[in-house]
Amino acid sequence: MLQNKIQDVLNEPGCELNQSKSDKDRKKGCTKQLQPGAAAGGCAFDGAKIALQPLTDVAHLVHGPIACEGNSWDNRGAKSSGSRLYRTGFTTDINELDVVYGGEKHLFKSIKEIIDKYDPPAVFVYQTCVPAMIGDDIEAVCKAAAAKFDKPVIPVNSPGFVGSKNLGNKLAGEALLDYVIGTEEPETTTPYDINIIGEYNLAGELWQIKPLLDRLGIRILSCISGDAKYHEVAQSHRAKAAMMVCSKAMINIARKMEERYDIPFFEGSFYGISDSSESLRQIARLLIQKGAPAELMDRTEALIAQEEARAWEQMTAFGNRLNGKRVLLITGGVKSWSVVSALQEVGMVVVGTSVKKSTKEDKDRISELMGGDAHMIDDMTPREMYKMLKEAQADIMLSGARSQFVALKANVPWLDINQERHHAYAGYEGMVELVRQIDRALYNPIWGQLRKPAPWDSRPASAPLFGEDPVVADASEQTTNGQVQPIGLDAQMGQEVTA
């Protein structure tokens, strides 16, 4: 059953890149899949947890050894406007006896304990490698628990060995499609209801977008899955349109919701001023196609003009300080084109960008933005990254936290723009914040101090060896007839020795 699901996910007809392949290659998926054991950047379980963990009010129970939950817990900065239950780690912590006798009873008891103590609207149960290999049937356990406790218990069957993190993202989407989406009805619907898919509310970025939509009267029926509530996702099938923020992770959700519920979608971005404006236009355009009044577009254009003017006014002060500065972008590849566009809008020069996780369409967009000399990097070792920083004379590097020490070793300012970041960079407000943070990193006085030669490197050849160190100077003054009396190790031990 799981193999059929994986084949269905890999043969994604909504991915243009996948459709350009032969029938045989298409079954291998949008991107090259890793072989079991060749973990790089997370396994399928990790990907599923990343995709669903931002559902804030449900209990996320990991069925497996405690290390699986420990390694995947709280590794992203997804924010919540309400419940904090998603920040509590739950695991069955299976042991040797479970491996011998099976862990299904253990799992059932864990589900009961969670419901008794926390009474969440739903429990998500994640399959991991060990219980999958011993044959634990989490679908059957979840079905029995749901009937027993009259509570949704959702199996997420994505053990790590089945493939990459990206495959896990999609299997998580399949769990929502199979067990959650369409299971409840909203109290009311409006012509302005939308879904946002693939947005994780990192550092609160959803909250920079929502006020713009609120001013247009557009309601986010469900965000999948940033700051999401279980009941919102269950009712998301009643939206009139959808915006897909990360196609690589959840395109299967957008496509199947279009097929099942006639919800049209587009892929957009809220990074950068022009992309934010275009995304607002696209949302308005789709809603009008689905029956919203045409005046929505006029109000959208008025809002865009007002917000763009305000953002550019705030960024004027940084224009001369950032114009022409050279930046190396190492984002992992997802949405690199969007960040490239945002940086170019303030006059910065992107000397290179990573495209490891980019689709062909992403790469085409980067080429279009950066021109024929676009330096796109599939993968790069720390040594190569250091060399590129030096040779390209980059003024700053934007990357995830794992690469920060390369920049610091090269005495180059660094700014975190990956999932661990603490600042939100979405929408017009986010763009102003990004510019402000880049300016603070570039012009931090610490770089002037770090780049100065060390005192011992700048000492003229004729200068005293010990400089102005008073202790050493006193020792050097112990002379007889103008000759320095060496003080050796024995002197330091209290036994003064003279030559």
Side-chain angles (χ1 to χ4, degrees):
M1 183 174 176
L2 179 58
Q3 282 302 317
N4 294 336
K5 180 67 72 178
I6 291 172
Q7 285 303 316
D8 180 49
V9 168
L10 293 179
N11 188 22
E12 176 51 61
C15 174
E16 294 181 6
L17 173 62
N18 212 23
Q19 291 312 297
S20 64
K21 299 176 180 176
S22 65
D23 290 342
K24 181 179 179 182
D25 289 339
R26 192 181 307 158
K27 294 178 181 177
K28 296 178 182 177
C30 306
T31 56
K32 183 180 180 181
Q33 297 297 313
L34 296 174
Q35 294 298 314
C43 62
F45 157 69
D46 186 34
K49 192 82 184 300
I50 286 170
L52 299 181
Q53 180 90 31
L55 274 105
T56 60
D57 60 348
V58 307
H60 299 272
L61 172 61
V62 176
H63 183 42
I66 194 169
C68 290
E69 170 62 343
N71 290 334
S72 63
W73 180 80
D74 202 25
N75 62 359
R76 297 215 162 194
K79 301 289 186 183
S80 169
S81 60
S83 173
R84 302 282 300 170
L85 185 59
Y86 74 127
R87 286 297 188 209
T88 301
F90 298 104
T91 174
T92 50
D93 184 21
I94 63 173
N95 53 36
E96 292 86 348
L97 288 178
D98 295 318
V99 172
V100 174
Y101 296 108
E104 294 179 353
K105 290 182 178 178
H106 192 152
L107 173 60
F108 189 87
K109 290 179 181 177
S110 298
I111 295 171
K112 179 180 186 302
E113 183 178 352
I114 290 172
I115 292 175
D116 288 344
K117 288 185 177 178
Y118 298 94
D119 191 27
V123 179
F124 280 41
V125 177
Y126 298 83
Q127 178 70 293
T128 60
C129 294
V130 173
M133 288 189 289
I134 63 176
D136 280 1
D137 187 347
I138 67 165
E139 281 93 352
V141 176
C142 290
K143 184 177 180 181
K148 174 73 174 179
F149 307 119
D150 193 23
K151 182 84 68 177
V153 183
I154 312 301
V156 184
N157 199 358
S158 57
F161 61 75
V162 300
S164 66
K165 182 168 67 176
N166 179 244
L167 177 61
N169 297 152
K170 291 182 169 60
L171 290 174
E174 291 294 314
L176 293 182
L177 289 161
D178 290 345
Y179 297 101
V180 183
I181 294 172
T183 57
E184 297 181 13
E185 293 294 333
E187 292 183 1
T188 59
T189 60
T190 76
Y192 304 97
D193 292 344
I194 66 167
N195 292 328
I196 297 181
I197 300 171
E199 162 60 49
Y200 300 113
N201 196 31
L202 299 177
E205 289 184 336
L206 178 65
W207 302 330
Q208 291 176 318
I209 302 166
K210 189 174 182 301
L212 299 172
L213 299 173
D214 288 344
R215 288 168 62 184
L216 295 171
I218 296 172
R219 180 173 69 159
I220 301 176
L221 193 61
S222 175
C223 180
I224 303 174
S225 56
D227 194 25
K229 314 296 185 293
Y230 178 80
H231 297 302
E232 293 175 354
V233 178
Q235 300 165 4
S236 61
H237 63 297
R238 294 304 180 193
K240 300 297 187 296
M243 173 180 173
M244 187 171 58
V245 178
C246 184
S247 64
K248 193 172 176 63
M250 288 190 167
I251 189 172
N252 54 330
I253 289 185
R255 177 185 56 88
K256 290 188 176 179
M257 290 189 77
E258 184 175 40
E259 293 173 355
R260 295 179 186 178
Y261 309 111
D262 191 26
I263 302 175
F265 71 93
F266 74 100
E267 183 180 6
S269 166
F270 278 109
Y271 289 127
I273 290 178
S274 59
D275 283 346
S276 296
S277 299
E278 186 55 30
S279 292
L280 290 174
R281 290 190 186 99
Q282 288 274 20
I283 291 172
R285 193 172 296 127
L286 285 184
L287 288 175
I288 292 170
Q289 288 176 9
K290 293 292 290 183
E295 55 83 28
L296 175 61
M297 186 58 76
D298 296 333
R299 291 193 288 115
T300 302
E301 290 295 345
L303 175 70
I304 289 171
Q306 182 182 354
E307 288 297 316
E308 284 193 356
R310 189 171 67 89
W312 282 116
E313 182 181 358
Q314 293 180 5
M315 290 192 293
T316 300
F318 304 102
N320 293 331
R321 292 162 65 88
L322 300 187
N323 190 35
K325 294 295 183 183
R326 300 168 68 81
V327 54
L328 177 61
L329 188 60
I330 307 290
T331 65
V334 178
K335 290 293 181 191
S336 290
W337 59 269
S338 188
V339 182
V340 168
S341 174
L343 296 173
Q344 289 179 335
E345 282 185 334
V346 293
M348 300 190 75
V349 178
V350 181
V351 298
T353 179
S354 59
V355 292
K356 183 178 179 182
K357 299 176 183 176
S358 298
T359 63
K360 182 179 181 301
E361 188 180 12
D362 291 339
K363 293 178 182 178
D364 292 341
R365 287 174 175 168
I366 292 172
S367 295
E368 185 179 340
L369 289 168
M370 296 175 62
D373 297 330
H375 195 150
M376 293 185 278
I377 308 149
D378 275 319
D379 202 1
M380 183 178 276
T381 65
R383 182 184 297 275
E384 292 168 338
M385 201 180 298
Y386 180 88
K387 184 180 178 183
M388 187 169 183
L389 277 171
K390 290 293 187 182
E391 292 182 347
Q393 297 181 328
D395 296 298
I396 187 171
M397 184 168 87
L398 274 58
S399 74
R402 283 181 297 181
S403 305
Q404 63 177 307
F405 300 106
V406 178
L408 297 177
K409 189 172 184 179
N411 284 350
V412 171
W414 166 82
L415 184 67
D416 188 357
I417 61 166
N418 267 19
Q419 65 268 12
E420 307 92 350
R421 63 181 176 270
H422 298 287
H423 299 281
Y425 300 134
Y428 305 101
E429 181 186 336
M431 186 63 196
V432 175
E433 182 62 24
L434 176 61
V435 168
R436 182 182 294 114
Q437 292 301 324
I438 291 176
D439 183 83
R440 289 181 65 181
L442 270 172
Y443 291 96
N444 192 310
I446 188 65
W447 301 112
Q449 297 293 320
L450 282 175
R451 289 164 180 164
K452 283 183 179 178
W456 49 86
D457 289 337
S458 60
R459 178 182 59 82
S462 58
L465 178 62
F466 301 112
E468 298 179 353
D469 187 317
V471 177
V472 179
D474 286 347
S476 299
E477 287 175 357
Q478 297 178 21
T479 61
T480 304
N481 297 326
Q483 294 181 341
V484 175
Q485 301 298 314
I487 301 176
L489 181 62
D490 289 340
Q492 296 177 27
M493 300 293 290
Q495 300 174 8
E496 187 172 321
V497 177
T498 58

